[in-house]
Amino acid sequence: MAQGTTGATTRSGKQRGTPVIKDVARLAGVSVPTVSRYLNGTARVSDDKRERIAQAIELLGYKPSFVARALANKVMDSVMMLTSLSGYWATTQVSGGVEHGARDKGFLYGVTSLDGVDADEVNNIVSRVLSANPAGVIVNESDEIAIQAMRQIPKDMPMVLIGGSRGDAPYQVIPSERAGGRQVTEHLLGLGHQSVVHVHRAEGPNNNTRTMGWRDAMAAAGIVATEAYQVGPDLNESVELGRRLAASDTITAIFAGNDETAISLIKGLHEGGRKVPEDISVAGYNDQIFAPLWEPALTSYSQNFVELGQEAFDMLYAQIEAKRAGDEMPTPECRVVEGRLVVRDSTAAPRAKA
């Protein structure tokens, strides 16, 4: 490719401030449709032409028009996520991971909340999302409404499900929820506690929940898993439960299904005259930023929700690329994003009885 001035010029020889696709084609010695195919990934372009086009783009400082590409593709360079529990910390972390992946590929990213949507409204919500012509859709499963929304996505639309039971969708990314719940419970039992009380919020309709992991560990230890309490998002409810549990002489360990519930329980236990971990060990889940700063520092299971979102976008992008190139779709798969137990000061061996 001939090297020279880096600015695009008009026929009159005047310098033009913003290069357009015709300038790239002229400098690279290819047609405008070839440049368009290179930018959109809609068909294969030879390695020689790809290199020349890439050099021309860099030399000119060309920035493709998002709208023009969308018109050429008949879909937007964008992805949408449908999710319930949109205000939850875990959901925002997952969303951030999807957004980072989308940004790296030059895609716009939007979130549509299903919070407060009833079954009759789901179809309208999904129709509005699809009317924006996204290149693909991610569904973050947390309840039956999200599952219903997923079922409305056309079969030819690239789609990835985050969460759910393994096999709920051809392309799926799931966190190690059940394995994590089991690991936390095993940690407490391994310290010498004879049983573990579980406190949790409502969980999604799937077989990969933290509560199931708690039951798995208890069953493996030969303990009947009967002491489970469901609480709502109002943390005062968990504080009150902590006060009630403090009155028990037999409880020595609690596994809370998330960190907010854990610290609320600790507050209630303290108000009930019990010390953590001297009297009762408490472990949380999610390992939020405040977990190591709490008093005592909170033992918690660290689940990489950002990676979960990034993996979901990568899986979606592979489908988008295959569809645009006319290739076969990637092999369906279910990826598991593993977490890890972080042991801190809130859990310890039970106090020896006098």
Side-chain angles (χ1 to χ4, degrees), residues 5-322:
T5 177
T6 60
T9 58
T10 65
R11 290 182 178 179
S12 64
K14 293 182 179 180
Q15 194 78 14
R16 178 163 52 214
T18 303
V20 297
I21 193 170
K22 290 182 180 179
D23 301 318
V24 175
R26 185 181 302 111
L27 186 58
V30 299
S31 67
V32 169
T34 299
V35 178
S36 179
R37 289 195 298 272
Y38 169 85
L39 294 172
N40 299 330
T42 54
R44 297 190 183 279
V45 178
S46 69
D47 291 341
D48 174 63
K49 290 180 180 178
R50 289 178 65 86
E51 183 177 352
R52 283 153 49 195
I53 294 169
Q55 289 178 356
I57 288 172
E58 181 177 2
L59 191 64
L60 293 170
Y62 172 70
K63 292 181 173 55
S65 165
F66 179 82
V67 174
R69 290 178 63 183
L71 292 173
N73 287 332
K74 297 183 180 179
V75 296
M76 299 290 281
D77 277 356
S78 65
V79 296
M80 294 291 295
M81 184 168 81
L82 290 159
T83 183
S84 300
L85 306 180
S86 57
Y88 277 38
W89 178 82
T91 305
T92 60
Q93 292 291 295
V94 169
S95 181
V98 176
E99 184 175 13
H100 291 160
R103 186 188 308 148
D104 288 344
K105 295 298 184 181
F107 274 59
L108 291 180
Y109 167 62
V111 179
T112 295
S113 172
L114 297 172
D115 293 336
V117 174
D118 61 33
D120 295 333
E121 296 177 283
V122 172
N123 290 353
N124 289 335
I125 294 289
V126 174
S127 294
R128 289 203 296 270
V129 167
L130 297 177
S131 69
N133 294 328
V137 175
I138 292 173
V139 177
N140 189 29
E141 184 276 320
S142 54
D143 55 22
E144 289 288 358
I145 292 297
I147 291 295
Q148 183 179 337
M150 180 189 72
R151 292 172 180 152
Q152 304 305 315
I153 306 298
K155 298 297 184 183
D156 61 347
M157 167 69 72
M159 193 275 292
V160 172
L161 175 66
I162 297 178
S165 298
R166 186 186 291 266
D168 277 350
Y171 301 96
Q172 187 176 11
V173 182
I174 61 175
S176 53
E177 298 277 277
R178 188 166 184 166
R182 178 167 184 156
Q183 193 171 346
V184 174
T185 308
E186 288 175 340
H187 162 69
L188 292 167
L189 293 174
L191 290 172
H193 297 280
Q194 297 303 301
S195 186
V196 176
V197 172
H198 183 44
V199 181
H200 64 95
R201 292 181 183 172
E203 296 178 308
N206 64 72
N207 59 15
N208 180 41
T209 69
R210 302 164 194 184
T211 298
M212 288 181 171
W214 167 72
R215 294 189 185 280
D216 291 341
M218 296 284 277
I223 304 170
V224 178
T226 57
E227 291 188 283
Y229 300 85
Q230 181 173 319
V231 294
D234 183 352
L235 298 182
N236 289 318
E237 186 178 342
S238 296
V239 173
E240 175 57 31
L241 177 60
R243 294 193 197 102
R244 298 203 310 269
L245 296 179
S248 171
D249 294 329
T250 60
I251 294 174
T252 64
I254 300 173
F255 165 34
N258 59 73
D259 293 339
E260 302 100 315
T261 298
I263 64 172
S264 301
L265 288 166
I266 291 173
K267 176 177 172 61
L269 291 169
H270 285 167
E271 292 177 357
R274 306 300 292 276
K275 295 181 179 180
V276 176
E278 292 85 351
D279 298 320
I280 300 178
S281 288
V282 178
Y285 201 103
N286 287 338
D287 195 28
Q288 294 198 44
I289 190 170
F290 57 77
L293 305 177
W294 201 250
E295 183 60 41
L298 187 64
T299 292
S300 187
Y301 188 82
S302 178
Q303 180 64 68
N304 194 337
F305 291 110
V306 173
E307 181 182 347
L308 196 72
Q310 291 173 328
E311 289 286 341
F313 178 80
D314 289 346
M315 188 179 287
L316 185 70
Y317 185 72
Q319 296 176 60
I320 294 170
E321 287 286 275

